[in-house]
Amino acid sequence: MKTAAPYLYKLLLLNLCFTVGWGLGTPAMTSLDLSSKEERGFSLPFRLSNNKNKDSDKKSKDDGSSSNQEETAPVIEHALDQIDRAKQVQNLIGKQDMTSNRNCEDCERELRSIRYMQCNRQNDYLENELEKLGQGHTLFAQLATAKIERESIIKPACMRMSMEAKFSASSKVFRQCSPEGTGSAAFRPCISENYFKLINNSFDLVSSCMKDIMAPEASDETQKLDVRAVYALINVESGFHVNAMSGTGAGGIGQFTTPAIQDVNQNELRNIRISLENNPNPQCGRLSMEFLDSLEPIRPQKAHSCDRISLSNGNPIKNMIYTYAYLKGVKKDLSTMIFENRNYKNKFKLSEFDLNKVKRALMVWSHNTGPAGTWTPAKTLLNTFYRNRPVTDADEFINQLQQYMQKFPASANKSPARRKETSRYFPEITSTLTNIEKNVGGGSCVNF
Amino acid sequence: MRQFLIALSLLVATTSASAFHDSATITVTEKLIIHIEKMEDTQLRLKALEKYKDFLFERLNQIELPENFMALSNDNPVIEEYRSLTEFDNYINLIRMKEITQKDCQRAKMRIETSTSREGGMVPEAEVALKVLSALCR
């Protein structure tokens, strides 16, 4: 849960490499610098005026919404909406194969095109452990060795791009854990076939089991869009690298901090275990038994930060479960505080699809702001701008929330740096996701 | 001069440590605490709390911010006051229980404490909410 570093330019360049590299059947590996952080000022998406003056408000609303929809696309955008835009981009870069990926018709080709790295002495430090843990009949072994499924919820090509794009090969924001549990700085791990299989297959299994827990009664499409949001979030947090560790100690796939781990251990883990074990898919029960029952929970103290990242402690699977568990708790709190709260729920005059879009945006944002970090700006927005009018445009609401994160943050996010970071978090996630989706074959990263 | 500096530093310390200054909210909060401390019937205490939540919501919808408030600086007192009241409202809304039990009271206390900061520190708004909780759960 740390700053989402923008790496859109890198993605664009990476797109070129992938297009050329994959097209020629040769590996296209990059080691670009991610430090090019573009400073962007925020223009107000609307002009706030006396809420009794509805005419002027409506005008300002109309003025604002159009310009800002261009600026940030929400995570939950319907996949079909994306396909046409992606096709246009593909046309621009001269790619002629314009197969829609709704049925994953070109997934087989994409799978064949995925390239893995040749490891070297600097980055092969996970390989021995992977090989060792990949033997036997454990679920970990299965995940590390099973072939990549072309029908996985998130397309493997998107997963592969995430692992390549977030950090350069020479980045040293990684930790290598000793058997004693102490960590030392390391290069980005080698994206070998085994490592990629472990990450890709783990995320697919954890997602397929946890999506029912996140949204039990929701449609398959809604659940998959939830997974897409989690994919986008992890992509920005860790680039799906098991041992990513920030300077502040946030660690692992979901970049967990001490309070977040405490929260999951105290409030979520018990119910997650029960739900997984009751899931009709026996693999979900195994997730619980082999990663939550047989292993100790992640210890929240910084001194035990290897718990968040080490393979021997069940990562990345355990950290992925924690990520979903944390978001589940956040979602529940948001319901109680806003979406099911008698004072606010009637303010949302949105379709179910758009309401889910807003909920998902707040959920993703909370991963960075903390559980309470979205309540204050969201409620302030509802009690001021929407005091006498309903929320009828999900995208506009999300864009306005970005401004309110700056102006009315929760106490924990009041420092200038945190105001900036929290307000930009969600827009950066959506921009990065949009770019990945444009750059990986077109269409959504989700196999619907 | 020295006394003046001491007085000034005390004033600054008091201001930074306080939550909000809205006199209506402060008065009603004080009255609520005294009121529910006297109540023996726990259900009546919970009803009083629910009415208090309604009061806070209404208050947030009565306070008029200046027209150009999004253009004001982030540390403008008007902005900070509204922010602080909204945050306080959040903590009060974390106090949810059908019956007043030790377990539920402890859970609400923990929720307020863990929601206040990414690193677990306590903020003034949460401290006031804990006073309300304490009166409710006495």
Side-chain angles (χ1 to χ4, degrees):
Chain A
M1 288 188 231
K2 60 187 180 62
T3 310
Y7 49 100
L8 307 181
Y9 290 125
K10 186 179 176 187
L11 280 171
L12 287 172
L13 191 51
L14 199 61
N15 163 61
L16 194 64
C17 297
F18 270 64
T19 307
V20 173
W22 288 10
L24 298 173
T26 53
M29 296 303 165
T30 58
S31 57
L32 301 176
D33 184 12
L34 289 172
S35 60
S36 58
K37 195 163 190 166
E38 186 186 342
E39 294 293 326
R40 283 185 304 169
F42 290 121
S43 59
L44 288 177
F46 54 91
R47 186 165 49 81
L48 274 161
S49 57
N50 188 330
N51 57 55
K52 287 167 188 166
N53 188 349
K54 290 182 181 175
D55 288 343
S56 64
D57 282 343
K58 186 174 186 312
K59 184 178 181 302
S60 60
K61 175 184 158 185
D62 292 342
D63 290 343
S65 58
S66 58
S67 63
N68 273 275
Q69 279 168 357
E70 287 297 310
E71 195 171 307
T72 51
V75 149
I76 340 300
E77 226 166 5
H78 197 287
L80 288 174
D81 295 341
Q82 294 271 347
I83 291 175
D84 283 339
R85 270 194 266 164
K87 280 179 178 175
Q88 286 165 16
V89 172
Q90 291 296 319
N91 276 332
L92 286 174
I93 59 174
K95 193 168 179 176
Q96 297 303 311
D97 180 4
M98 299 303 297
T99 314
S100 161
N101 68 342
R102 190 167 170 81
N103 299 314
C104 204
E105 288 165 6
D106 55 355
C107 282
E108 200 64 55
R109 182 185 57 77
E110 281 177 13
L111 281 184
R112 283 198 305 272
S113 303
I114 289 179
R115 295 287 180 267
Y116 305 106
M117 288 175 73
Q118 290 292 322
C119 302
N120 59 44
R121 277 191 302 174
Q122 285 183 324
N123 66 16
D124 70 350
Y125 54 89
L126 292 180
E127 293 302 304
N128 285 343
E129 204 174 356
L130 271 173
E131 197 171 325
K132 193 174 135 198
L133 291 167
Q135 290 165 359
H137 300 288
T138 62
L139 186 55
F140 191 104
Q142 281 183 24
L143 293 168
T145 54
K147 83 183 224 318
I148 308 287
E149 292 293 335
R150 71 184 203 114
E151 297 292 348
S152 55
I153 302 175
I154 298 295
K155 289 177 169 184
C158 291
M159 296 289 292
R160 179 68 184 87
M161 182 167 263
S162 293
M163 294 178 76
E164 188 65 40
K166 170 69 179 170
F167 299 106
S168 72
S170 59
S171 173
K172 288 194 81 172
V173 297
F174 301 93
R175 288 286 178 282
Q176 182 179 358
C177 288
S178 70
E180 296 78 37
T182 54
S184 56
F187 285 105
R188 191 186 76 186
C190 172
I191 308 172
S192 65
E193 185 171 359
N194 282 347
Y195 181 47
F196 179 72
K197 278 181 175 173
L198 174 69
I199 299 294
N200 182 78
N201 294 341
S202 299
F203 188 63
D204 195 46
L205 177 61
V206 173
S207 298
S208 66
C209 294
M210 295 296 289
K211 67 181 169 64
D212 295 328
I213 301 172
M214 289 269 287
E217 315 247 304
S219 67
D220 185 54
E221 184 189 45
T222 300
Q223 289 185 341
K224 283 182 171 172
L225 285 173
D226 281 347
V227 173
R228 177 170 171 260
V230 178
Y231 160 75
L233 183 155
I234 294 177
N235 170 54
V236 162
E237 290 289 349
S238 66
F240 280 90
H241 286 290
V242 62
N243 59 339
M245 183 77 84
S246 80
T248 58
I253 287 282
Q255 290 292 285
F256 265 88
T257 58
T258 295
I261 294 168
Q262 278 172 335
D263 188 7
V264 173
N265 286 346
Q266 284 168 6
N267 302 318
E268 304 299 334
L269 223 44
R270 188 174 167 273
N271 288 336
I272 295 290
R273 276 196 179 107
I274 294 169
S275 300
L276 285 173
E277 282 161 24
N278 288 333
N279 191 303
N281 178 356
Q283 296 286 69
C284 301
R286 286 188 71 185
L287 270 184
S288 174
M289 284 184 280
E290 296 187 30
F291 294 97
L292 300 179
D293 295 348
S294 302
L295 295 169
E296 291 295 315
I298 298 177
R299 288 171 290 184
Q301 298 85 355
K302 275 187 185 173
H304 299 297
S305 58
C306 272
D307 281 12
R308 307 172 193 182
I309 62 174
S310 69
L311 297 178
S312 58
N313 195 41
N315 293 304
I317 298 104
K318 195 192 277 185
N319 203 305
M320 286 173 183
I321 295 172
Y322 269 63
T323 303
Y324 273 104
Y326 182 76
L327 292 174
K328 176 186 167 282
V330 159
K331 214 174 161 188
K332 189 179 160 200
D333 284 343
L334 280 168
S335 271
T336 312
M337 201 57 80
I338 296 173
F339 298 109
E340 294 303 322
N341 184 304
R342 64 178 186 272
N343 292 324
Y344 299 104
K345 68 177 179 184
N346 292 328
K347 281 182 180 281
F348 292 94
K349 303 290 182 200
L350 297 168
S351 67
E352 196 183 337
F353 183 85
D354 279 348
L355 184 60
N356 281 330
K357 183 189 282 191
V358 172
K359 287 179 179 177
R360 219 171 271 131
L362 285 168
M363 176 188 81
V364 168
W365 234 316
S366 298
H367 191 80
N368 182 271
T369 63
T374 50
W375 305 338
T376 304
K379 283 168 65 172
T380 305
L381 178 56
L382 291 166
N383 287 329
T384 55
F385 187 78
Y386 292 103
R387 186 177 286 183
N388 293 319
R389 73 184 100 187
V391 180
T392 54
D393 184 330
D395 294 337
E396 183 188 32
F397 183 82
I398 292 166
N399 282 331
Q400 289 170 328
L401 197 54
Q402 185 182 347
Q403 310 298 323
Y404 276 70
M405 290 264 173
Q406 285 258 13
K407 197 57 87 184
F408 300 96
S411 290
N413 301 317
K414 270 170 68 179
S415 71
R418 286 292 296 159
R419 282 177 200 258
K420 194 189 277 187
E421 182 184 328
T422 53
S423 67
R424 291 181 179 190
Y425 185 72
F426 184 75
E428 284 183 2
I429 283 182
T430 56
S431 303
T432 309
L433 176 64
T434 304
N435 274 282
I436 287 184
E437 294 191 328
K438 281 176 184 170
N439 293 325
V440 182
S444 171
C445 276
V446 178
N447 277 320
F448 283 101
Chain B
M1 183 63 181
R2 195 177 160 207
Q3 282 178 329
F4 171 74
L5 285 174
I6 291 169
L8 187 68
S9 61
L10 278 174
L11 183 69
V12 170
T14 311
T15 309
S16 64
S18 65
F20 40 83
H21 302 89
D22 180 51
S23 57
T25 306
I26 291 171
T27 307
V28 173
T29 307
E30 283 170 355
K31 279 184 181 170
L32 173 82
I33 291 172
I34 294 167
H35 187 56
I36 57 178
E37 273 178 344
K38 285 179 189 168
M39 280 179 174
E40 286 306 319
D41 189 330
T42 55
Q43 282 304 315
L44 287 179
R45 273 189 243 166
L46 286 171
K47 272 188 185 167
L49 177 70
E50 290 308 307
K51 277 191 176 175
Y52 178 65
K53 287 179 185 174
D54 289 340
F55 159 78
L56 287 177
F57 175 72
E58 282 165 20
R59 193 76 194 108
L60 285 169
N61 280 275
Q62 282 167 355
I63 296 172
E64 292 286 346
L65 292 172
E67 261 187 43
N68 63 338
F69 74 86
M70 287 300 279
L72 298 176
S73 71
N74 290 339
D75 57 358
N76 185 292
V78 175
I79 299 286
E80 174 55 22
E81 176 71 9
Y82 200 87
R83 192 208 64 75
S84 178
L85 270 177
T86 307
E87 182 154 339
F88 174 62
D89 178 60
N90 289 335
Y91 297 130
I92 290 295
N93 273 283
L94 285 175
I95 307 174
R96 293 187 302 265
M97 49 189 93
K98 285 180 182 161
E99 285 179 22
I100 299 173
T101 65
Q102 199 181 351
K103 192 180 164 191
D104 285 340
C105 289
Q106 191 55 38
R107 187 180 293 160
K109 182 172 181 285
M110 196 185 292
R111 293 287 286 120
I112 293 170
E113 285 172 350
T114 55
S115 295
T116 56
S117 160
R118 280 159 67 86
E119 298 303 329
M122 188 69 73
V123 297
E125 295 85 356
E127 283 173 7
V128 182
L130 285 176
K131 282 182 193 166
V132 174
L133 179 68
S134 171
L136 188 79
C137 295
R138 66 176 172 81

